[in-house]
Amino acid sequence: MPHMNMPHAMLIDLDDTLIDFTSDTESSWRVVSGEAAEHIPDLDAGQLYDAIVHTRDWFWSDPERRRIGRA
């Protein structure tokens, strides 16, 4: 069954609550994406990384989301 290969949990951190975004987060996200791809069949590490960056940039680009996200 395809769902048997899904991760048991996901960490989603769009600000710097859990991950320190003042340091080198780009390489950290690349490592995490690569590790996830090793465990999930057909997951492309580059596409996952690109989706993370796109979502992060989208989220923080809106002043109202930024205000609420920082609260």
Side-chain angles (χ1 to χ4, degrees), residues 41-53:
D42 301 323
L43 177 65
D44 180 274
Q47 288 180 339
L48 176 58
Y49 172 79
D50 290 345
I52 290 168
V53 170

Side-chain angles (χ1 to χ4, degrees), residues 17-68:
T17 304
L18 301 174
I19 299 173
D20 176 12
F21 282 99
T22 61
S23 62
D24 182 21
T25 58
E26 302 302 316
S27 63
S28 297
W29 280 123
R30 287 189 187 281
V31 168
V32 168
S33 297
E35 289 177 1
E38 291 175 8
H39 299 283
I40 302 172
D42 301 323
L43 177 65
D44 180 274
Q47 288 180 339
L48 176 58
Y49 172 79
D50 290 345
I52 290 168
V53 170
H54 174 78
T55 302
R56 178 198 64 202
D57 292 347
W58 167 84
F59 183 86
W60 292 114
S61 69
D62 180 76
E64 183 64 9
R65 280 193 303 267
R66 178 181 287 277
R67 185 186 68 77
I68 292 169

